[in-house]
Amino acid sequence: RMMAPALAEVGPDTGGSEGTATTTTVPAVDFAAWLQARYTEADFVVVKMDIEGGEWEVLAHLIRTGAIRLIDELMLECHPRVQLPSVHYMHQSCVDLVNHFRKMNIAAHRWV
């Protein structure tokens, strides 16, 4: 059963001309509902997540809905909520996030 995507606004995006910002409307899906409609805990579910900072909200939603229990393995590119001096530095909040999922028996890995 396919769910109709919702629309989400993304922005502001300053990737254009200097000093300009745009907002873009893109299709979006409730990932927790999508997982729950297609998989059970008997399935082996692997998720690779690289959503440029959106992982915090999506993962919190997966936990709130209980859909996180459907994920067996998670490869996560974590983007800290604070600006770092180097992109090669793994922020402690990202390490803590991965360790939290490991304690939930999810094979979680940092994807850099």
Side-chain angles (χ1 to χ4, degrees):
R1 175 183 122 212
M2 290 297 291
M3 295 174 7
L7 295 179
E9 286 194 359
V10 179
D13 176 11
T14 57
S17 302
E18 183 101 13
T20 65
T22 60
T23 300
T24 305
T25 301
V26 297
V29 173
D30 180 334
F31 187 53
W34 184 88
L35 280 173
Q36 291 169 323
R38 285 161 181 75
Y39 301 101
T40 70
E41 290 187 36
D43 295 310
F44 189 84
V45 177
V46 178
V47 172
K48 183 198 181 279
M49 188 174 292
D50 178 4
I51 52 177
E52 305 305 317
E55 63 274 6
W56 296 95
E57 184 178 343
V58 170
L59 291 168
H61 182 62
L62 289 171
I63 291 169
R64 268 191 317 274
T65 61
I68 194 71
R69 292 187 311 263
L70 298 172
I71 298 174
D72 297 286
E73 191 160 2
L74 174 65
M75 274 70 77
L76 175 66
E77 183 174 353
C78 181
H79 300 83
R81 294 181 175 198
V82 295
Q83 186 65 33
L84 300 175
S86 168
V87 296
H88 300 293
Y89 173 75
M90 181 59 66
H91 194 270
Q92 187 61 44
S93 63
C94 295
V95 173
D96 293 344
L97 183 62
V98 168
N99 288 335
H100 174 75
F101 289 117
R102 288 177 179 167
K103 288 177 185 172
M104 295 174 69
N105 294 319
I106 297 170
H109 315 279
R110 293 183 307 267
W111 187 276
V112 188

